[in-house]
Amino acid sequence: MVLVESGSVKVVLSEHNGAQVIAGPYGPGELIGELGVLDQRPRSATVIAHRDGTGVRVVASIFRRLVEQDHDVLVLVNATLRDRLHRADRRQLAIASQDVTTRVAAQLLTWADTFGEASSDGVVVRGIPQGDLAKAVVASAKSVDAALKVLRAAGLVRTRRLWFLLPDPTLLRDLLNDRGWRKTT
């Protein structure tokens, strides 16, 4: 089990047919691998660093003992699992009910909130390839490229290689909450 202290990592789930789903990324303060340790099962995902950082690795037997003996650790594990369940629910709902541009904008906002860096130009999300964005929103690379083109044209996102800038995340969030926003962009 690892507690991410700084930086960011992505969690990649692989299917038997070779398809990959990005379950992360995760940033500071988040637990990785705790469920497998508690269930005493082999890992089901691969963790890959997005940005340099640090983490604390806790040996499985020690982590299980901490969960049993320290109420605060149990609370952290429960909060982690609850947050992941809510994240998965929101993702399923988004896939079923939102167009790709909306899903891309929402995912970029989530990443900006999780591990974005404030700059004089807005909030920057670094280290994530566009292909990972496509996997995260369950869309083709071509569809994500088209969505980013719409968002760039509206001045809501700027992009470079492994770099997304949200000049005004509050405006983007407000637009996403306005059901008619796509008619104006």
Side-chain angles (χ1 to χ4, degrees):
M1 193 285 310
V2 174
L3 171 63
V4 179
E5 288 187 316
S6 64
S8 63
V9 298
K10 69 178 175 180
V11 176
V12 180
L13 306 171
S14 295
E15 294 290 324
H16 297 292
N17 64 3
Q20 292 184 335
V21 174
I22 305 293
Y26 298 96
E30 297 192 85
L31 300 176
I32 306 292
E34 75 293 333
L35 194 55
V37 168
L38 293 175
D39 286 346
Q40 298 184 12
R41 296 169 71 173
R43 68 183 177 89
S44 60
T46 301
V47 178
I48 302 168
H50 265 299
R51 305 219 27 231
D52 288 344
T54 59
V56 176
R57 181 177 177 267
V58 181
V59 175
S61 59
I62 293 172
F63 182 67
R64 284 192 294 272
R65 192 172 336 122
L66 284 170
V67 169
E68 290 173 7
Q69 296 174 354
D70 189 330
H71 179 64
D72 290 339
V73 174
L74 180 60
V75 168
L76 176 62
V77 170
N78 285 338
T80 297
L81 297 176
R82 183 187 61 245
D83 290 346
R84 290 216 186 111
L85 182 58
H86 288 306
R87 212 181 278 178
D89 287 348
R90 284 191 307 270
R91 179 180 173 159
Q92 285 297 105
L93 183 60
I95 291 167
S97 64
Q98 296 174 342
D99 63 272
V100 175
T101 301
T102 301
R103 294 195 320 253
V104 166
Q107 186 63 62
L108 289 173
L109 279 169
T110 297
W111 288 344
D113 291 343
T114 304
F115 55 85
E117 299 171 7
S119 78
S120 60
D121 295 326
V123 177
V124 177
V125 175
R126 299 177 196 273
I128 300 176
Q130 192 168 314
D132 284 359
L133 177 57
K135 289 176 186 173
V137 300
V138 190
S140 71
K142 186 176 180 177
S143 296
V144 169
D145 194 43
L148 287 171
K149 183 177 180 180
V150 168
L151 294 169
R152 282 191 301 263
L156 299 169
V157 175
R158 291 186 221 150
T159 62
R160 292 195 303 231
R161 185 177 183 279
L162 302 176
W163 183 91
F164 301 93
L165 171 71
L166 284 65
D168 188 347
T170 302
L171 173 62
L172 183 54
R173 193 176 323 280
D174 289 347
L175 287 172
L176 286 179
N177 290 329
D178 176 7
R179 296 196 183 274
W181 85 280
R182 290 281 286 126
K183 293 179 179 81
T184 61
T185 58

